[in-house]
Amino acid sequence: MSRRLRFVDSHTGGEPTRLLLDGIPKPGVGEIREWYLEVRRTHGWLLAAAVNEPRGSDILVGGVYWPAADAASAGEVMFFNNVGLLGMCGHGTIGLVATLAHLGRLGPGRHTLQTPVGEVRALLHDDGSVSVENVPAFRHRKDVAVDVPGYGHFVGDVAWGGNWFYIVEHAQDRIDLSNRDLLTELCWAIRIELRARGITGRGGTEIDHIELSSARDAAPGNDARNFVLCPGKAYDRSPCGTGTSARLACLAADGVLAPGQAWRQESVTGSVFEGRFEPGGIDDDGTAWIRPSITGRAQVTAVGELLIDDAELAAYHWE
Ligand code: PYC
């Protein structure tokens, strides 16, 4: 049997998103965070086929979009990449809103979306840019030291911004595209070492995004430049919406960024998200959380239909 999946591709600051508009049935029961495992079990191979070679590439982030039954919400979205499901995706949400606007399904104004890790709000501005009010973000641990064989000693913060991040202020190597292979291997080695040492996010969850940051390497007018390595070893071409949210949580916790103050986060490719936060609250364990928002813009790049044969099933799988 050949499956047909309608898709729209976009890029947000250079980072691509492939939104699947049909072909993945919405699980009938439970909440969206429970659908996660169900979709992975029943359709993981199809999602993997939709973003990986030969139809996609390692850097492509996918999104399954289900329109909402009621007008109060713009629908549900579940993001994934070359190796599995993501919690939230900031650049992908900006791409989703630009895509739905392109299809005439939504217009300027505020829209609510459900994701497996919580509700997010997106504001489509008249000029086509999009602000995403992300899920609550927080710093879980400050100044976590790790010795990485062959690379040296690193100190970073563990923070949540819709995915788990280990964020390091990194001055040793320039955060520049000409260094992308070196930065990729360094981040991968850090991730392996964190795992080996049992350094995790809350509840023992693996830290699967590594973010290197440098104020020195940012262009004038921007606050910092980052390099973010995603779970499937692809680096984010955008400043990473969830990574910027996690960074805002750390800046807020250190008291170096005030509520409402703009933070211009540049990516390794030079694209920029403008981030801000509003104070959130304090969890039972004393952790302070913020409400981050990220503004950027996306460009629709292609509209089409993927044809995937069930006979290919064995070729695609996630770990
Ligand atoms: O923008 O949040 C993001 C993101 C996550 C993975 C790739 N981009």
Side-chain angles (χ1 to χ4, degrees):
M1 182 174 123
S2 188
R3 315 259 182 152
R4 291 171 175 270
L5 304 181
R6 283 185 309 129
F7 72 91
V8 178
D9 283 355
S10 61
H11 82 85
T12 310
E15 180 75 354
T17 305
R18 171 163 290 169
L19 198 71
L20 303 180
L21 299 171
D22 55 21
I24 312 290
K26 183 165 157 172
V29 288
E31 294 187 6
I32 182 167
R33 62 171 185 273
E34 297 157 33
W35 301 358
Y36 214 70
L37 295 177
E38 175 69 2
V39 168
R40 187 191 164 100
R41 190 179 62 78
T42 56
H43 288 84
W45 73 275
L46 202 52
L47 302 186
V51 290
N52 280 300
E53 291 181 11
R55 295 172 182 82
S57 78
D58 278 358
I59 78 166
L60 194 51
V61 169
V64 185
Y65 170 67
W66 296 287
D70 64 276
S73 165
E76 286 111 357
V77 63
M78 195 175 278
F79 291 107
F80 56 98
N81 67 7
N82 53 335
V83 293
L85 297 169
L86 292 166
M88 227 303 276
C89 182
H91 92 267
T93 305
I94 295 171
L96 162 69
V97 172
T99 292
L100 296 180
H102 173 83
L103 296 173
R105 294 199 190 176
L106 56 73
R110 201 171 287 276
H111 307 280
T112 302
L113 286 156
Q114 307 302 326
T115 80
V117 292
E119 183 173 287
V120 300
R121 270 169 248 143
L123 177 62
L124 174 60
H125 300 275
D126 289 333
D127 68 357
S129 62
V130 179
S131 298
V132 177
E133 288 172 30
N134 195 6
V135 296
F138 59 91
R139 178 164 68 193
H140 177 56
R141 291 179 63 189
K142 181 176 165 61
D143 289 345
V144 177
V146 62
D147 288 311
V148 183
Y151 291 95
H153 184 74
F154 296 88
V155 177
D157 289 357
V158 177
W160 169 258
N163 294 298
W164 281 105
F165 290 82
Y166 180 70
I167 306 175
V168 182
E169 282 294 333
H170 188 70
Q172 211 170 305
D173 310 290
R174 286 203 86 78
I175 300 205
D176 189 85
L177 273 181
S178 61
N179 268 339
R180 59 182 174 266
D181 292 345
L182 184 153
L183 298 173
T184 297
E185 293 311 323
L186 165 60
C187 288
W188 196 250
I190 292 176
R191 180 178 166 190
I192 288 172
E193 206 49 35
L194 292 175
R195 188 195 292 159
R197 288 167 185 271
I199 298 169
T200 66
R202 199 182 251 178
T205 316
E206 183 177 0
I207 300 165
D208 56 4
H209 290 74
I210 308 298
E211 179 169 346
L212 307 178
S213 177
S214 160
R216 177 199 64 196
D217 297 340
N222 295 334
D223 293 292
R225 188 174 175 95
N226 71 12
F227 180 90
V228 178
L229 195 69
C230 299
K233 214 179 176 182
Y235 67 90
D236 199 330
R237 275 64 175 167
S238 84
C240 192
T242 50
T244 301
S245 300
R247 185 75 208 282
L248 291 173
C250 298
L251 294 165
D254 286 335
V256 297
L257 191 72
Q261 191 183 339
W263 175 264
R264 287 183 59 82
Q265 181 65 62
E266 181 182 311
S267 73
V268 67
T269 68
S271 53
V272 176
F273 286 164
E274 190 164 289
R276 290 170 205 277
F277 77 93
E278 292 304 326
I282 312 274
D283 280 347
D284 290 347
D285 67 358
T287 307
W289 53 272
I290 59 158
R291 297 182 183 282
S293 84
I294 306 298
T295 301
R297 66 174 60 235
Q299 200 73 41
V300 170
T301 55
V303 176
E305 198 171 38
L306 298 172
L307 305 180
I308 306 174
D309 201 293
D310 276 8
E312 295 180 70
L313 192 152
Y316 296 101
H317 59 90
W318 285 329
E319 291 298 301

